[in-house]
Amino acid sequence: MAISSTEQTVAVRRTVIRTTAVLVGMFAFAFALVPLYDVFCRITGLNGKVDTTAQAIVHEEVDTSRFITVQFITRGSAGLPWQMSVATRQMRVHPGQTAEVDFTFTNNSQAQSWGRAVPSVSPSNATTHLRKVSCFCFQEQQLQGQERLTIPLVFQLARDLPAEINTITLVYTLYPVHHVALSDPYDNASGGSI
């Protein structure tokens, strides 16, 4: 039995529509995957993603019987002419103890720019035991041309840090942030009105 030209056209059209729908669905899923993954990691602490809001110091007894080595690594990124350095690359901290370390940001260009330091923690199961009390990573930073800025990181390791964790590595990666200059509505020179 032969298939008529009309039936064949309908079948081809149906196949094209289904294929297009699958491709659109795959594209939408791939586009949404990164934000969904970030939310999942933030909630679960998986893959070293850390909370980006300040936490309160918990007043608990310091475990002086144990030292944890905390390492700090800084990385730049393309598109941001900044350098980030840390005063101490490594320190030893007791669980329950609050510690502070200074990070310095330097804008090596002549132009003002914005950036953000995004943290990650290794091993990932240490993420929920690292409390950041004060951190430059909570907000974007602005540096004028050739400006240098030193900001402290204040953190606390929870006393219930798993016994198998002896070293925690905290990595900060710099990323550029693009800002659009907004005109002041009260500035008549820029065409705004009062």
Side-chain angles (χ1 to χ4, degrees), residues 146-160:
Q146 299 298 316
E147 183 179 2
R148 172 178 249 184
L149 177 65
T150 299
I151 308 173
L153 162 68
V154 180
F155 68 95
Q156 180 184 38
L157 295 180
R159 187 174 162 81
D160 63 351

Side-chain angles (χ1 to χ4, degrees), residues 21-33:
V22 168
L23 287 173
V24 168
M26 288 171 51
F27 178 77
F29 178 74
F31 187 75
L33 195 57

Side-chain angles (χ1 to χ4, degrees), residues 9-29:
T9 303
V10 170
V12 168
R13 184 176 295 146
R14 188 178 315 136
T15 302
V16 168
I17 290 171
R18 287 180 181 167
T19 304
T20 304
V22 168
L23 287 173
V24 168
M26 288 171 51
F27 178 77
F29 178 74

Side-chain angles (χ1 to χ4, degrees), residues 120-188:
S120 66
V121 176
S122 177
S124 59
N125 60 336
T127 303
T128 56
H129 302 280
L130 175 67
R131 298 182 190 114
K132 290 187 188 171
V133 178
S134 175
C135 183
F136 46 83
C137 61
F138 296 151
Q139 58 192 16
E140 300 164 355
Q141 304 298 325
Q142 176 190 22
L143 292 179
Q144 300 300 321
Q146 299 298 316
E147 183 179 2
R148 172 178 249 184
L149 177 65
T150 299
I151 308 173
L153 162 68
V154 180
F155 68 95
Q156 180 184 38
L157 295 180
R159 187 174 162 81
D160 63 351
L161 183 72
E164 68 272 7
I165 297 177
N166 297 315
T167 302
I168 296 175
T169 304
L170 188 54
V171 180
Y172 283 99
T173 305
L174 282 172
Y175 290 100
V177 177
H178 301 287
H179 279 263
V180 178
L182 300 175
S183 62
D184 185 351
Y186 298 103
D187 180 8
N188 289 328

Side-chain angles (χ1 to χ4, degrees), residues 70-72 86-91 100-103:
V70 181
Q71 301 172 331
F72 304 99
V86 61
T88 306
R89 287 269 174 209
Q90 181 172 298
M91 63 178 21
E100 181 175 321
V101 62
D102 286 334
F103 284 77

